[in-house]
Amino acid sequence: MSTNLSKIKRDKMLETISKIKENIDDDETLKNLSLIEYELTKKKYGLVWEEHEENVDKQLKTKIPTFEEIKENNIVTNEDKKYNFLLEGDNLHSLYLLEKTHKGRIDVIYIDPPYNTGANDFIYDDKRIDLEDGYRHSKWISFIYKRLKIAKSLLSKDGIIFISIDDNEQAQLRLLCDEIFGEENFVGNIVWEKRTKCQNTKTAKYMLQSKTESIFVYKNKNEKYEFCLTYESEREYPSIDDNGKKYRLEKLGEMSASGMRGRETMIFPIDGIMPKEGYQWKFGKDTIEKYRKRNDLIIKNNKVYLKIRPEDEEAKMKPFWSLILKDIGTAETAKTELNNILGTKEHGFETIKPVKLIKDLIFHVIGNKKNAIVLDFFAGSGTTAQAVLELNEEDNGDRKFIICTNNENDICANITLARLRKVINGYNEIKGITANVKYYRTTYIPRTNTDDENIQENLLKNIKNLIQLENGISIDDKIIKVILSEDEIDKFSENIEQIKECEKLYISSDILLTAKQVKIFKDNNIDVFVIPEYYFDEEIKEVQ
């Protein structure tokens, strides 16, 4: 059962006030103390919630989270390409470690957290939360708050986070995100048409039926953000002048001169012709003069025409609308997608996002950044990973994904990993997509330092996995090596065969290379990297 930290603190304060009141006779002081008691016990509103502690929080007090690589679950199709990562375990655990390896490096985060509908969709401390739980909203907010705080630190300067949600926690999530990311960084609320079929059961048929879901969009900094767009259509230039150059003859547009866009400087005569009363020209004087000098301004029948040429305008782009209709896919079509990939309907996923939806979202952020990193720490069946792979396939990109999910009912191993294998290796008549994936499982080591459990030795064993995660590589101890002691580096620098084979060397920050060793590595084109102290430096200091 989870611990209600807010209630514990409040009860302690109330107990203290009660003891103080026993020894006070002054009516005014007693009155003021009663007011304090009232404030402590009255119903809270807004972002004040009952803070709860999860088992994972308690474990972090006595244990240090680490990763172990499950090599038999890895997927490798091209050893020369970098690696994506599938992280099995509690996502708070994974986020804690990602903050060490990817702080400020994630370009896009997409998450589809539990919606807390009361229909047992939200598990908190191994207990399914239903409508009877009086603290279900507080537990959900406590749960998501901790994860979003770390997510904020992971976003790059230009990073964007998308969060899917329905009406159950929409209001709470908006307030929470305003606090974490800043109200000024709220980009918008995308409404997605998730359903086309209504429920015709006796209880649902005559009720208001939900047809849409929300996707909150937040940026990481308070600056104007420009999304990537796709071409809507090619503009046409059907005419050709005497010089062989294309153009389109177009009547000069007018627009209302009232409201925010109204400007007196846009109301002026063009060869004696004025815009209609209450209207202004579409272009200003400088632009009109540009057309005049090119001899591309024509007066005909007391109307102004311009010869519009390709260099005068941008390509016609399709906007990034905040309304996404069923054409992109629904939860129903997404379920069919997953059925076809896995070859079964018995996968346990009912509410799934279509690949095209997630691909469209991340394209609008990183369509022109082909080496971006995408994170989904509520990965479920792995839709986000597939979306990244398909986007790479379409434009020859090299974007990487990191996805995290628990392994309840063997979901991570049997569904998420199985889906990735099919997408990468191919299935039915669908061609595979070349990619590499490493499979990590979260684990712990004791936060103690004894003869039996030396924290520094235990943590050093896990350094390799963090190096791989941060750099998207696979350490084979031949081409890429990790060396943690001066004895090891001395032996390695004398081994000609190993030196010839090695290309990258990661060494402990405690190792001081000799001038001779530096020359050997340089002459043999070995790149030397110092392992960051920030991996486990704080944990080691805490115990020492």
Side-chain angles (χ1 to χ4, degrees), residues 65 133 205 233 262 358 366 413 426 429 483 517:
D133 192 316
K205 187 173 183 178
S233 62
I358 309 304
I366 55 171
E429 301 298 319
I483 293 181
Q517 289 169 338

Side-chain angles (χ1 to χ4, degrees), residues 168-205:
N168 287 280
E169 297 289 358
Q170 187 194 68
Q172 291 87 326
L173 180 64
R174 174 67 196 273
L175 290 171
L176 199 64
C177 287
D178 283 349
E179 178 181 308
I180 294 170
F181 299 100
E183 185 178 357
E184 68 281 4
N185 290 325
F186 175 67
V187 177
N189 174 23
I190 296 171
V191 177
W192 166 56
E193 187 179 11
K194 67 176 179 180
R195 180 181 294 143
T196 56
K197 298 176 183 176
C198 64
Q199 291 180 281
N200 280 318
T201 61
K202 287 184 178 180
T203 54
K205 187 173 183 178

Side-chain angles (χ1 to χ4, degrees), residues 128-320:
R128 293 190 177 273
I129 305 302
D130 57 28
L131 293 172
E132 301 302 314
D133 192 316
Y135 291 108
R136 72 185 185 94
H137 290 294
S138 290
K139 288 177 179 178
W140 188 88
I141 295 170
S142 291
F143 169 83
I144 201 71
Y145 176 78
K146 285 172 279 197
R147 288 155 176 82
L148 288 180
K149 283 284 285 184
I150 300 178
K152 169 75 166 66
S153 73
L154 295 177
L155 278 176
S156 66
K157 187 174 68 171
D158 299 318
I160 292 283
I161 184 169
F162 297 99
I163 310 172
S164 284
I165 198 69
D166 74 355
D167 292 342
N168 287 280
E169 297 289 358
Q170 187 194 68
Q172 291 87 326
L173 180 64
R174 174 67 196 273
L175 290 171
L176 199 64
C177 287
D178 283 349
E179 178 181 308
I180 294 170
F181 299 100
E183 185 178 357
E184 68 281 4
N185 290 325
F186 175 67
V187 177
N189 174 23
I190 296 171
V191 177
W192 166 56
E193 187 179 11
K194 67 176 179 180
R195 180 181 294 143
T196 56
K197 298 176 183 176
C198 64
Q199 291 180 281
N200 280 318
T201 61
K202 287 184 178 180
T203 54
K205 187 173 183 178
Y206 298 101
M207 296 175 66
L208 179 65
Q209 300 207 20
S210 173
K211 189 176 180 63
T212 62
E213 283 184 6
S214 292
I215 304 171
F216 287 159
V217 188
Y218 280 83
K219 52 186 166 60
N220 196 31
K221 63 176 182 178
N222 186 21
E223 292 182 15
K224 182 181 177 182
Y225 194 93
E226 293 186 351
F227 289 98
C228 300
L229 303 178
T230 54
Y231 290 106
E232 188 167 40
S233 62
E234 293 293 331
R235 296 186 185 273
E236 295 183 358
Y237 306 94
S239 302
I240 299 177
D241 62 20
D242 294 339
N243 297 317
K245 292 185 178 180
K246 294 180 179 181
Y247 70 91
R248 178 181 71 251
L249 191 65
E250 190 173 282
K251 182 183 171 184
L252 177 59
E254 301 175 25
M255 55 188 185
S256 174
S258 61
M260 292 179 62
R261 298 181 68 184
R263 284 166 27 189
E264 289 185 9
T265 56
M266 304 285 278
I267 304 172
F268 57 91
I270 301 175
D271 292 353
I273 301 170
M274 293 288 289
K276 295 194 299 285
E277 183 70 28
Y279 282 77
Q280 64 187 34
W281 295 122
K282 179 181 176 182
F283 296 136
K285 288 182 180 180
D286 291 344
T287 302
I288 295 300
E289 284 307 305
K290 179 187 78 171
Y291 281 96
R292 188 190 297 279
K293 287 177 183 178
R294 288 184 349 201
N295 294 318
D296 283 346
L297 187 148
I298 298 170
I299 306 297
K300 187 168 65 173
N301 298 329
N302 207 34
K303 291 182 174 59
V304 181
Y305 291 87
L306 302 175
K307 287 183 179 180
I308 310 294
R309 301 185 183 275
E311 61 269 23
D312 293 328
E313 55 191 1
E314 292 182 346
K316 197 172 183 181
M317 310 298 282
K318 182 181 178 183
F320 183 15

Side-chain angles (χ1 to χ4, degrees), residues 226-482:
E226 293 186 351
F227 289 98
C228 300
L229 303 178
T230 54
Y231 290 106
E232 188 167 40
S233 62
E234 293 293 331
R235 296 186 185 273
E236 295 183 358
Y237 306 94
S239 302
I240 299 177
D241 62 20
D242 294 339
N243 297 317
K245 292 185 178 180
K246 294 180 179 181
Y247 70 91
R248 178 181 71 251
L249 191 65
E250 190 173 282
K251 182 183 171 184
L252 177 59
E254 301 175 25
M255 55 188 185
S256 174
S258 61
M260 292 179 62
R261 298 181 68 184
R263 284 166 27 189
E264 289 185 9
T265 56
M266 304 285 278
I267 304 172
F268 57 91
I270 301 175
D271 292 353
I273 301 170
M274 293 288 289
K276 295 194 299 285
E277 183 70 28
Y279 282 77
Q280 64 187 34
W281 295 122
K282 179 181 176 182
F283 296 136
K285 288 182 180 180
D286 291 344
T287 302
I288 295 300
E289 284 307 305
K290 179 187 78 171
Y291 281 96
R292 188 190 297 279
K293 287 177 183 178
R294 288 184 349 201
N295 294 318
D296 283 346
L297 187 148
I298 298 170
I299 306 297
K300 187 168 65 173
N301 298 329
N302 207 34
K303 291 182 174 59
V304 181
Y305 291 87
L306 302 175
K307 287 183 179 180
I308 310 294
R309 301 185 183 275
E311 61 269 23
D312 293 328
E313 55 191 1
E314 292 182 346
K316 197 172 183 181
M317 310 298 282
K318 182 181 178 183
F320 183 15
W321 293 112
S322 62
L323 174 62
I324 299 179
L325 299 175
K326 61 185 178 183
D327 300 347
I328 207 164
T330 63
E332 297 142 350
T333 63
K335 187 175 179 182
T336 301
E337 282 178 352
L338 186 59
N339 294 348
N340 292 338
I341 293 169
L342 297 177
T344 178
K345 296 180 180 179
E346 306 301 319
H347 44 68
F349 283 89
E350 293 297 325
T351 54
I352 312 167
K353 300 297 182 290
V355 175
K356 195 175 178 183
L357 170 67
I358 309 304
K359 187 165 58 174
D360 190 62
L361 295 178
I362 62 178
F363 165 80
H364 283 301
V365 182
I366 55 171
N368 57 4
K369 187 174 183 180
K370 296 188 178 182
N371 62 342
I373 304 175
V374 180
L375 170 66
D376 181 350
F377 51 91
F378 286 99
S381 68
T383 307
T384 300
Q386 183 175 342
V388 173
L389 293 175
E390 288 192 8
L391 186 58
N392 283 340
E393 186 76 353
E394 289 173 9
D395 66 4
N396 199 31
D398 194 31
R399 303 169 187 88
K400 294 291 173 284
F401 65 77
I402 301 171
I403 61 171
C404 320
T405 188
N406 61 35
N407 201 30
E408 181 195 0
N409 299 323
D410 296 323
I411 285 171
C412 190
N414 293 344
I415 306 297
T416 319
L417 179 62
R419 178 179 194 163
L420 289 179
R421 284 197 191 282
K422 291 285 189 76
V423 172
I424 291 171
N425 295 324
Y427 61 97
N428 300 336
E429 301 298 319
I430 307 296
K431 181 185 172 186
I433 300 173
T434 301
N436 300 326
V437 180
K438 277 194 179 292
Y439 188 109
Y440 279 4
R441 181 177 292 148
T442 54
T443 183
Y444 290 102
I445 65 168
R447 202 181 283 269
T448 56
N449 208 9
T450 64
D451 292 337
D452 296 328
E453 295 288 353
N454 183 285
I455 188 169
Q456 192 152 4
E457 288 180 7
N458 284 336
L459 289 174
L460 286 175
K461 292 174 186 175
N462 290 276
I463 287 288
K464 175 180 173 181
N465 291 328
L466 292 187
I467 295 171
Q468 292 184 144
L469 178 61
E470 179 167 0
N471 298 283
I473 60 175
S474 182
I475 297 171
D476 60 358
D477 293 325
K478 293 178 181 178
I479 297 173
I480 304 176
K481 289 184 69 68
V482 175

